[in-house]
Amino acid sequence: MLTPPSNDISAISAALTSGDLGQLIYDRAANIFPICRSITGIGVRNTLQQLGQIIPIAQRHIPSGTKLYDWIVPDEWTFREAYIADVAGRRLVDASNNNLHVLNYSASVNAIITRDELATHIHTLKSQPDLIPYRTSYYVRAWGFCLSQQQWDALPPGPFHVVIDTTHTPGHLSYGEYIHHGDTFEEVLLSAHICHPSLANDNCSGLAVLTTLAERMQTIRTRYTYRFVFAPGTIGALAWLSQNEQQLARIIAGLTVSCVGDAGGPNYKKSRRGNTLIDRAMSHACRTASPRPEISEFSPYGYDERQYCSPGFNLPVGSFQRSKWGQFPEYHTSADNLNFIRPQHLAESARTIAQTIDILEDNWCPISLSPKGEPQLGQRGLYVTSPTGDTTAVDANMASLWVLNLADGAHSILDMAERSNLSFTVLASAAARLKAAGLLAAYAPPSTALKRQRRRFKIKPDQPK
Ligand code: ZN
């Protein structure tokens, strides 16, 4: 049953209004940007520790070798240094300048080799000759360097001293979890991947936005429980799913959050189920935030929604981004750096997610207590007059009319927003005013006094959606 919110409406959005939100999120993304992360190892734990200074994140550790459905937790990767030097010892390429230079999860090497031999271990981007690519080799053991094409072309003829000092040893896969407890056990899952090294949009941005949102929600009482999960891509999401399989029925909505700091989008990809509460709430929030949001249907490629929406789980989890992964030139290159993400875009992303949460929190099903004809709003001081006819007053009056008309117990405020093309916030405010004036009550299941009231008024609600 959806009852009116116990909080003021838009409480989560209101919690984001103090301070310079964008700069705060940006600084937090910048703090974790330099850390050399991978799917396992100290980089993930150091990142969780940094974010753990903002909210109390619990770290979970799954031992290497643990079977997770069709996958196995790999060994821990420890990275110490990687460089290409000339035989005199002068370092020509050094991963201490940019951790993208080392193939992520690379095997170790220490050898003097020719340029031709080295060429088979070099990754460049011919079409973007000034950028270093981000490459991984998680499930095939290989060593390698990633260079800009210009760097590679400028290297001398060789021979070279190549050093990659790494180890792969049994350890743990680590992920982080923070839970904001609500009044019910029903949960909203907010998930970001934490396995990429120095890439700002993909996905320091998602980690910083969600951490800040969790921090600001701390003092707010919510209807739902919010579970924030920061896990390495794919294997980390599978680890979380395997640890929580008995409780997945609690998840009523979820989002993967990535690439939320650039100027593109917003983009929302629906859950596999396609018309769940999160799909509707997020679509509405994106349309409110932007004149041209892109709302797309589910596809089995992208981030960890692939795992959450796999058929054995089929959770109502969508994906929120600004520019879509793989479709911006900076994607998986050294150009996805701290100049590429901007405070105002980070703030806008946080606000869009906050508005979505407000929709989940503030949604309810009203029933009119004066359903025969329109109640007289003016007499009750509920008709907003505006000599200039400004749109706020017009919208407020239209919202009152829509709410009263659809208040048959079968329409939620979100249903009304979709049908009226008015914003959820305007309708929720109108519903709160009408309820305070005694014109609405919360629709309760037909075993209560409201059932009698429905019978008395002979209200035949439409079938719920
Ligand atoms: Zn990525």
Side-chain angles (χ1 to χ4, degrees):
M1 181 182 74
L2 285 174
T3 54
S6 50
N7 262 307
D8 292 341
I9 59 166
S10 305
I12 314 297
S13 297
L16 298 186
T17 52
S18 64
D20 188 342
L21 178 72
Q23 191 61 46
L24 179 73
I25 301 174
Y26 181 89
D27 291 344
R28 289 171 172 178
N31 277 345
I32 56 172
F33 178 79
I35 301 173
C36 186
R37 285 165 289 267
S38 185
I39 47 171
T40 57
I42 191 91
V44 170
R45 289 192 287 272
N46 284 345
T47 306
L48 291 172
Q49 210 165 23
Q50 284 265 11
L51 299 174
Q53 292 172 13
I54 304 161
I55 47 167
I57 295 174
Q59 291 197 26
R60 319 268 186 221
H61 309 291
I62 313 293
S64 301
T66 305
K67 195 161 164 32
L68 300 172
Y69 309 110
D70 202 39
W71 298 65
I72 291 173
V73 175
D75 281 345
E76 258 190 57
W77 184 60
T78 304
F79 167 70
R80 283 174 286 271
E81 63 172 349
Y83 61 87
I84 302 170
D86 61 20
V87 284
R90 276 188 299 265
R91 293 191 185 193
L92 309 167
V93 175
D94 192 335
S96 67
N97 297 323
N98 190 322
N99 61 35
L100 298 181
H101 278 316
V102 64
L103 176 71
N104 199 279
Y105 210 73
S106 174
S108 61
V109 65
N110 188 338
I112 307 286
I113 58 174
T114 65
R115 187 175 167 111
D116 284 349
E117 285 172 302
L118 178 58
T120 62
H121 295 273
I122 296 290
H123 304 265
T124 65
L125 287 168
K126 282 201 170 66
S127 58
Q128 294 169 293
D130 55 334
L131 303 182
I132 308 164
Y134 160 57
R135 294 283 183 272
T136 65
S137 187
Y138 295 144
Y139 300 103
V140 176
R141 196 56 58 87
W143 69 265
F145 289 93
C146 302
L147 273 62
S148 75
Q149 184 66 38
Q150 288 166 355
Q151 261 177 314
W152 173 240
D153 292 342
L155 283 188
F160 301 99
H161 183 199
V162 292
V163 173
I164 298 178
D165 184 4
T166 58
T167 45
H168 295 80
T169 49
H172 294 86
L173 172 136
S174 305
Y175 66 85
E177 202 169 22
Y178 167 74
I179 300 171
H180 170 91
H181 292 282
D183 293 341
T184 67
F185 288 114
E186 290 180 305
E187 289 188 1
V188 177
L189 173 69
L190 295 161
S191 167
H193 62 277
I194 194 172
C195 50
H196 289 25
S198 292
L199 296 171
N201 206 30
D202 178 17
N203 193 36
C204 296
S205 68
L207 295 164
V209 164
L210 287 187
T211 303
T212 304
L213 205 55
E215 179 196 33
R216 294 284 172 101
M217 283 174 73
Q218 274 180 316
T219 54
I220 298 174
R221 182 179 166 189
T222 56
R223 171 189 291 171
Y224 299 117
T225 290
Y226 291 82
R227 195 185 279 262
F228 294 78
V229 173
F230 303 139
T234 307
I235 192 82
L238 293 173
W240 181 83
L241 283 162
S242 77
Q243 298 295 301
N244 293 276
E245 203 172 322
Q246 302 310 315
Q247 305 172 48
L248 295 179
R250 292 179 179 184
I251 294 177
I252 56 116
L255 265 188
T256 62
V257 177
S258 62
C259 302
V260 284
D262 69 287
N267 273 284
Y268 174 69
K269 184 179 88 176
K270 293 181 185 175
S271 72
R272 180 180 183 269
R273 284 150 65 175
N275 194 28
T276 67
L277 183 58
I278 189 69
D279 300 315
R280 297 173 57 207
M282 198 67 208
S283 300
H284 186 78
C286 285
R287 288 192 183 107
T288 307
S290 160
R292 280 180 300 280
E294 195 181 319
I295 315 288
S296 50
E297 296 300 322
F298 179 78
S299 66
Y301 207 49
Y303 292 102
D304 285 327
E305 70 279 2
R306 292 159 66 174
Q307 314 310 326
Y308 301 130
C309 294
S310 57
F313 302 119
N314 201 16
L315 296 177
V317 176
S319 171
F320 177 52
Q321 297 166 81
R322 300 197 67 82
S323 286
K324 273 191 196 167
W325 66 272
Q327 293 187 14
F328 52 97
E330 296 83 0
Y331 176 76
H332 279 193
T333 74
S334 51
D336 182 359
N337 56 35
L338 292 171
N339 295 322
F340 182 52
I341 61 169
R342 303 288 4 127
Q344 68 266 32
H345 307 313
L346 292 162
E348 197 184 307
S349 298
R351 282 195 285 265
T352 303
I353 300 171
Q355 216 222 325
T356 302
I357 296 175
D358 279 329
I359 292 173
L360 304 183
E361 288 291 319
D362 299 347
N363 200 23
W364 63 292
C365 287
I367 188 159
S368 174
L369 301 178
S370 178
K372 293 191 172 176
E374 289 179 349
Q376 285 196 40
L377 297 180
Q379 203 179 53
R380 295 176 170 88
L382 292 170
Y383 195 80
V384 186
T385 49
S386 162
T388 53
D390 73 89
T391 53
T392 313
V394 172
D395 281 0
N397 291 331
M398 278 310 294
S400 293
L401 296 179
W402 273 108
V403 171
L404 285 167
N405 187 277
L406 293 177
D408 56 8
H411 290 87
S412 69
I413 307 291
L414 182 56
D415 293 325
M416 297 174 188
E418 289 172 337
R419 186 143 170 192
S420 67
N421 269 332
L422 292 168
S423 89
F424 180 93
T425 313
V426 171
L427 288 157
S429 303
R433 282 196 304 275
L434 295 166
K435 181 171 172 289
L439 289 171
L440 298 179
Y443 172 68
S447 61
T448 65
L450 282 170
K451 185 185 176 188
R452 290 193 293 278
Q453 196 162 36
R454 287 172 75 90
R455 213 180 294 133
R456 193 176 128 219
F457 289 124
K458 294 191 178 63
I459 298 171
K460 288 200 179 75
D462 302 344
Q463 284 303 306
K465 283 187 184 177

